[in-house]
Amino acid sequence: MTDAVETKAVGPALSITGLRKTFGANEVLRGIDLSARDGDVISMIGASGSGKSTLLRCIPMLEIPDSGTVTVGEDSLSPKGGRLTRAEEATARRMRGHLGFVFQNFNLWTHRTVLQNVIEAPLFVQNRSRAEAVDEATALLEKVGLAEKRDAWPAHLSGGQQQRVAIARALAQRPRAILFDEPTSALDPELVGEVLKVIRSLAEEGRTLLIVTHEMGFARDVSSRVVLLHQGQIEEDGTPEQVFANPRSDRARAFLSGHFDRTR
Amino acid sequence: MDFTFLGDMFASLLKGLPLTLNFWVLSLLGGGTLALILNLMRTTRIGNAVAGAYVFVFRGTPLLIQIFMIYYGLAGFGFVRQSFLWPFLREPYWCGLLALILNDAAYTSEILRGGLRAVPKGAVEAGRVSGMTRFAILRRITLPLAFRQALPAYSNEVISMLKATALVSTITLMDMTGIARAAISETWRAVEILLCAAAIYLAISLLVTRFSAWFERRLSPWHFGRTTP
Amino acid sequence: MEFGKLALLGFGPEGWGLVLVRAGLMTLAVSVAAFVFGLGLGILIAWARIGGNAVLRRLAEVYVVVLRGVPDILVIYLFYFGGRQVVTAIGTGLGFEGPFDISGFVAGMLAIGLISAAGQSEVLRGAYQAVPKGMVEAGRVVGMTRLTLFRRVIAPQAMTTALPGMGNQWQSVIKETALVSVTGLVETMRQVSVAAGTTQEHFLFYAAGAVIYLCITTVSDQIFRFAERRSLRGHPQGGM
């Protein structure tokens, strides 16, 4: 499993161009362009309501953008009118197969054990053999430090443990990139560390990660790039040093100083 | 207490058991199927209105009036008597079964709807992001979760239907209650006869309760403090 | 069915309208009597299951299991025929001349009340258990007595939780009263059967009966919903 990260020669791992999304009268995303090369670790930060979660959810088409294009590997989608056609739905499924997604609220399947959660997609989406899927899942659970919980029910795990299972579940799809939607926001403070540790180890392996987060210190330490969203547009995009030490706009400066005062 | 009489009574009541079970099982199968269809209909606007009206009418009126309406009422229409269905609809058996199925479907569809609504949105999203098809999500996530959620309410419905089958005795059918009713008018020993019949119904519903508790534990062991399957 | 037949439902000399309205009111009367009787008994049973000693608890439990497992119509027969048996035994024992009979209204009210009590006690017990422990403790730390605690904290909280369930129980009672027609009490079901038999317009009259039941269930459903909304004022779930 350690060499699961294959290097793709051509093109970015994923890219987004001209993405727009409105909810009713509320324009949440106002033309976003963003692309990630293999091995990028991109943190997306911004105030609540800045659109960062919506942006992340648009990539696997959990939210369907009003316009714009999302490309994952060789597959590309430009949905119109807020819905997917049957053919687009199939493309979206292929794209999702190349992505891992980790939710804020874990969203483990409560009616399946830890191991069953991890092998579900390999078995029933990717049609891999059970023996192989179980071996790989066991290794992944080892990696997130939960090998001994493989037969437990999700309801009996702490939030931090559930989130680590969710990360193993995402990894089991052998994704080209993993998307994290505020992975520690629903956790008690003392459980945040164990989850961040796992994400950090993934970054160190050279995996491609997109992380929506409020953990500024973590974003600064782990990311290769930091993207700051403000009112549905990208306000800052650069290395952590650039964004955190020398933000170009006043708005970014205000947001960052406020945040560091509060959380640090 | 006249034990020979009680023994004889049990024996003759049990002759009605096959018919009772027949109505019970078939109405649950038919009602369950129709309930699933009603829920599928709810995905369209018109279907939703139709299903809503159906549930409103069948849950808002007594089963007895539904049985009579089908058994006595439909025969008043010339086109029913001329149709290919008439050989069925003239028989009290088919009328009773039809009424039970239609009635069960209304209640079961609401139970199923409640179960489907209780499926967490996140569980479905987790299925979508792992690339599952709609059908796979329905089969592997939505229905299993909805079914577990609905099971306690559904086991009540199963017992309700057992009790409801007793009403077919009002259209001349000789199920257990029909036999009991006939025996009362012959012997006038109502209390003994009715207690015998009640005991048989009670025994069956206790079995259902036991079974559904066992089934619930088997399907959702994490609700009962077991940490591993 | 020709249009003219609808006159049978009217209030003219040929019409059954007035009779049907009276029958509808009888349904309502039996329902209310049975529900109130069931409520009283249901409270006692719920209390026995929550606060009673081991014997009372067990008895209340058995009561609920039995009445939920036996067809309602058997319970009604039991009260009607059995009641007659008992009354006859007492009557002849006291030296009166037969024949003896028991009122369909009383038999129906008792039977349906007893059935409903089982369901109502379950609703009330569930509502009692759903009162958050913290609220009870908050009452205790300000020094409330058990009675004050029940009256000021537990009962109002539990009423709110219980209302939807009690609404369902009421709906069941209305529908169960149709079974009382087997005792000969002239309520809606009985009246439409008689009218259907007399006029040979079965579908018309059973449909009219269905409409009467729908009216009663719909109106009372609205009333319960209104009460529910009112009782939810100030609750996190919202309301008015």
Side-chain angles (χ1 to χ4, degrees), chain A residues 57 60-62 89 93 96 99 101 103 107 109-113 120-121 124-125 151-153 155-156 169 173, chain B residues 121-134 139-141 144-145 148 221-222 225-229:
Chain A
R57 288 167 60 83
M61 300 288 154
L62 282 179
E89 183 66 45
R93 272 203 304 279
R96 290 168 188 153
L99 297 169
F101 198 101
F103 297 88
N107 292 349
W109 296 304
T110 51
H111 61 305
R112 308 220 189 279
T113 63
E120 178 77 14
F124 293 94
V125 179
D151 292 323
W153 297 104
H156 294 151
R169 179 171 72 173
Q173 285 181 254
Chain B
K121 224 172 128 240
V124 173
E125 283 192 345
R128 290 175 62 199
V129 294
S130 59
M132 290 187 186
T133 60
R134 262 167 219 271
R139 200 175 61 86
R140 302 277 313 162
I141 299 170
L145 283 170
R148 283 166 171 80
W222 60 92
R226 288 176 54 199
T227 44
T228 53

Side-chain angles (χ1 to χ4, degrees), chain A residues 2-207:
Chain A
T2 42
D3 56 353
V5 184
E6 304 157 41
T7 35
K8 306 269 160 123
V10 285
L14 64 90
S15 74
I16 297 159
T17 48
L19 205 68
R20 288 178 177 277
K21 174 76 184 171
T22 51
F23 289 116
N26 187 12
E27 196 170 18
V28 184
L29 298 177
R30 300 192 284 181
I32 302 276
D33 299 293
L34 184 73
S35 81
R37 284 165 297 139
D38 289 304
D40 273 354
V41 176
I42 303 178
S43 288
M44 299 203 278
I45 59 175
S48 10
S50 61
K52 52 196 191 312
S53 277
T54 306
L55 172 58
L56 200 74
R57 288 167 60 83
C58 277
I59 299 171
M61 300 288 154
L62 282 179
E63 304 293 350
I64 299 176
D66 299 335
S67 63
T69 302
V70 176
T71 308
V72 176
E74 284 78 52
D75 292 304
S76 190
L77 270 182
S78 314
K80 293 280 177 291
R83 58 190 310 163
L84 297 179
T85 64
R86 200 170 275 266
E88 285 173 333
E89 183 66 45
T91 312
R93 272 203 304 279
R94 240 185 355 261
M95 283 163 57
R96 290 168 188 153
H98 296 298
L99 297 169
F101 198 101
V102 176
F103 297 88
Q104 183 176 343
N105 294 310
F106 337 128
N107 292 349
L108 294 182
W109 296 304
T110 51
H111 61 305
R112 308 220 189 279
T113 63
V114 165
L115 182 74
Q116 286 167 344
N117 263 278
V118 179
I119 61 176
E120 178 77 14
L123 285 187
F124 293 94
V125 179
Q126 302 175 339
N127 297 317
R128 278 145 57 181
S129 81
R130 178 170 286 271
E132 182 198 330
V134 169
D135 283 350
E136 188 171 328
T138 310
L140 288 171
L141 287 172
E142 187 96 42
K143 181 191 184 98
V144 298
L146 289 171
E148 81 284 8
K149 295 285 186 195
R150 54 174 265 165
D151 292 323
W153 297 104
H156 294 151
L157 302 182
S158 72
Q161 290 171 328
Q162 291 194 47
Q163 193 60 300
R164 285 187 279 149
V165 174
I167 293 172
R169 179 171 72 173
L171 288 169
Q173 285 181 254
R174 296 180 179 163
R176 188 157 170 193
I178 307 175
L179 316 180
F180 293 85
D181 186 8
E182 303 195 22
T184 57
S185 295
L187 297 177
D188 292 335
E190 71 272 19
L191 301 177
V192 170
E194 62 188 66
V195 172
L196 292 184
K197 201 177 123 207
V198 171
I199 301 176
R200 189 186 299 261
S201 76
L202 299 180
E204 283 160 3
E205 281 172 23
R207 288 179 188 270

Side-chain angles (χ1 to χ4, degrees), chain A residues 163-257:
Chain A
Q163 193 60 300
R164 285 187 279 149
V165 174
I167 293 172
R169 179 171 72 173
L171 288 169
Q173 285 181 254
R174 296 180 179 163
R176 188 157 170 193
I178 307 175
L179 316 180
F180 293 85
D181 186 8
E182 303 195 22
T184 57
S185 295
L187 297 177
D188 292 335
E190 71 272 19
L191 301 177
V192 170
E194 62 188 66
V195 172
L196 292 184
K197 201 177 123 207
V198 171
I199 301 176
R200 189 186 299 261
S201 76
L202 299 180
E204 283 160 3
E205 281 172 23
R207 288 179 188 270
T208 316
L209 310 178
L210 253 74
I211 310 165
V212 169
T213 183
H214 290 293
E215 301 283 336
M216 294 302 157
F218 176 76
R220 185 177 52 192
D221 297 347
V222 167
S223 322
S224 59
R225 237 172 98 197
V226 173
V227 173
L228 191 151
L229 264 79
H230 179 77
Q231 293 183 352
Q233 286 176 315
I234 292 181
E235 187 83 18
E236 298 274 343
D237 183 352
T239 63
E241 293 74 33
Q242 283 166 347
V243 173
F244 287 115
N246 300 304
R248 281 169 300 177
S249 73
D250 293 338
R251 270 203 290 260
R253 211 168 293 133
F255 171 76
L256 289 169
S257 67

Side-chain angles (χ1 to χ4, degrees), chain C residues 43-143:
Chain C
I43 290 173
L44 288 180
I45 295 167
W47 171 76
R49 287 196 73 175
I50 295 163
N53 60 32
V55 179
L56 271 180
R57 240 195 342 257
R58 192 82 198 133
L59 276 177
E61 225 175 282
V62 170
Y63 179 89
V64 172
V65 169
V66 169
L67 275 134
R68 303 202 102 184
V70 172
D72 309 337
I73 197 163
L74 287 186
V75 181
I76 290 169
Y77 281 146
L78 192 65
F79 266 78
Y80 185 59
F81 295 116
R84 193 149 58 181
Q85 253 179 338
V86 171
V87 171
T88 308
I90 295 173
T92 36
L94 292 174
F96 291 107
E97 293 268 317
F100 295 94
D101 211 340
I102 179 170
S103 137
F105 187 95
V106 173
M109 180 198 91
L110 290 178
I112 291 175
L114 286 178
I115 296 164
S116 179
Q120 293 194 50
S121 77
E122 286 292 277
V123 172
L124 294 173
R125 189 172 68 105
Y128 173 85
Q129 284 168 345
V131 175
K133 291 266 177 300
M135 299 212 187
V136 178
E137 281 173 1
R140 216 172 265 148
V141 294
V142 297

